[in-house]
Amino acid sequence: MLKIGFLLPPGFQIMGLAAASAFELANTTAREHLYGIGFYSAHGGAVVNSFGASVETQPLARRRLDTLLVCGLIAPAPTDSLTLNRLRAASRLARRTASVCTGTFLLGEAGLIDGRHVTTHWLYARALQQQFPAARVDADRIFINDGPVWTSAGMSTGIDLALGLIEADYGSELAAAVAKKLVVYHRRAGGQSQHSALLELGARSDRIQRVLEYARNHLNSALTVQELAGVANLSPRQFSRAFTTETGQSPAKAIEHLRLEAARLMIEQSRHTIEEIATETGFIDTERMRRAFLRAYGQPPQALRRIARMA
């Protein structure tokens, strides 16, 4: 049996405990006690969460856990020294340490993310990078596994992280079955964006928004800078400058994100062949689409289709 210990700092956000349901259902699905779950804090006793309810905990001192999972707060705040000391000690004894949402800040305060590739809620990703410059923060990932350290984005993505842990422990078949019982997508790959592509781009002006809508409706065409500049009624140079200023991305990168999002939806929800999807979304050929998927999601299109069909 693998023991999962949830570290609950004072004021923890209660949604962080949703991940416990994934481990519970892994047990019932396998009809075997694969996981044990415990709630811990620096002192033990009742810990009040952000909603004002309390959860009874055990003291974390000298606990040997398979996985230490740190719950986050609604907004990052400094952690007391005793909690950090207990966290460091427990992490050294655990096989792996994970965090939900802003729990990554606690890992950072404990010195556990230096040199690591990590994520947190997009709203606080910049602050995380500024506070812990030795970490490599990715603001647009659902969850990240870097060696023994796992981190997730918003509170609900703790479930995605838990499914990832289950898959790492017992395989994709069990993780898919658990996801199905939870009535969640199985499973949002760690590389999946925290936002839709259009929401992420967040154009401010009507002309750039018009360009993005045009691009989304014409993905099977070349969508050159000259073509998009014509939609915006700007010269190519003016358009490229305005587009990058408003969206933070070059036109080429933004179009690739739109193509990826459309292709992924078709792969997961349609019966089109990979070749047809590549053509329909403007990747021209399957090899170019495969390379784009590997860069963005860490998996080729065929693997994502298999995962979707297992759900």
Side-chain angles (χ1 to χ4, degrees):
M1 182 187 70
L2 303 178
K3 188 64 178 287
I4 309 294
F6 286 75
L7 173 59
L8 310 182
F12 73 94
Q13 213 286 327
I14 196 166
M15 182 64 180
L17 298 183
S21 295
F23 300 114
E24 177 188 17
L25 288 176
N27 289 346
T28 60
T29 302
R31 297 183 180 179
E32 185 179 348
H33 208 55
L34 303 177
Y35 294 103
I37 297 172
F39 301 122
Y40 300 91
S41 63
H43 298 280
V47 176
V48 178
N49 60 40
S50 59
F51 202 62
S54 62
V55 175
E56 195 65 29
T57 65
Q58 304 173 58
L60 186 61
R62 294 185 294 280
R63 296 285 178 175
R64 185 177 290 276
L65 303 166
D66 176 80
T67 303
L68 176 63
L69 202 158
V70 181
C71 288
L73 311 176
I74 286 183
T79 310
D80 65 274
S81 59
L82 181 61
T83 297
L84 293 178
N85 288 336
R86 295 283 192 264
L87 170 55
R88 292 187 195 98
S91 181
R92 285 194 293 269
L93 295 173
R95 177 167 65 100
R96 58 195 176 192
T97 301
S99 65
V100 177
C101 195
T102 59
T104 310
F105 281 82
L106 276 74
L107 300 189
E109 289 184 81
L112 300 177
I113 63 173
D114 288 354
R116 299 282 184 191
H117 189 195
V118 298
T119 192
T120 191
H121 192 290
W122 62 268
L123 189 61
Y124 301 110
R126 180 175 295 179
L128 183 70
Q129 186 66 85
Q130 291 173 344
Q131 190 171 339
F132 307 106
R136 293 183 294 123
V137 178
D138 190 330
D140 195 34
R141 295 284 293 278
I142 294 297
F143 69 86
I144 293 175
N145 168 213
D146 187 343
V149 175
W150 295 61
T151 54
S152 67
M155 292 296 173
S156 67
T157 62
I159 296 174
D160 297 285
L161 182 144
L163 290 170
L165 294 171
I166 292 167
E167 182 169 320
D169 293 335
Y170 296 108
S172 59
E173 186 173 342
L174 177 60
V178 171
K180 190 171 184 178
K181 288 187 176 182
L182 286 167
V183 197
V184 298
Y185 178 99
H186 175 73
R187 70 176 166 78
R188 293 190 292 178
Q192 185 170 330
S193 174
Q194 291 188 36
H195 310 284
S196 71
L198 284 178
L199 178 61
E200 179 186 352
L201 290 166
R204 296 188 298 274
S205 69
D206 289 344
R207 67 175 64 194
I208 299 302
Q209 289 180 10
R210 187 167 64 247
V211 167
L212 290 171
E213 288 293 342
Y214 175 88
R216 187 172 65 170
N217 294 325
H218 297 82
L219 289 176
N220 59 353
S221 66
L223 296 177
T224 62
V225 169
Q226 289 77 11
E227 180 182 356
L228 298 176
V231 174
N233 293 318
L234 295 170
S235 71
R237 178 174 294 181
Q238 289 174 320
F239 166 71
S240 293
R241 185 183 303 116
F243 188 96
T244 303
T245 298
E246 289 196 29
T247 68
Q249 297 183 22
S250 69
K253 180 59 67 175
I255 296 305
E256 181 174 276
H257 283 174
L258 292 173
R259 295 193 200 280
L260 281 164
E261 185 170 81
R264 179 163 187 157
L265 285 173
M266 291 183 70
I267 284 167
E268 293 169 347
Q269 300 176 10
S270 79
R271 296 183 178 277
H272 289 77
T273 67
I274 299 298
E275 291 77 11
E276 289 170 338
I277 293 170
T279 300
E280 185 67 22
T281 55
F283 280 107
I284 302 176
D285 58 52
T286 57
E287 178 56 27
R288 294 188 190 188
M289 187 168 76
R290 187 187 73 84
R291 291 199 299 266
F293 267 65
L294 288 172
R295 287 195 300 271
Y297 306 125
Q299 300 180 76
Q302 293 86 345
L304 294 178
R305 172 159 278 180
R306 285 194 298 271
I307 289 171
R309 287 177 175 173
M310 290 172 63

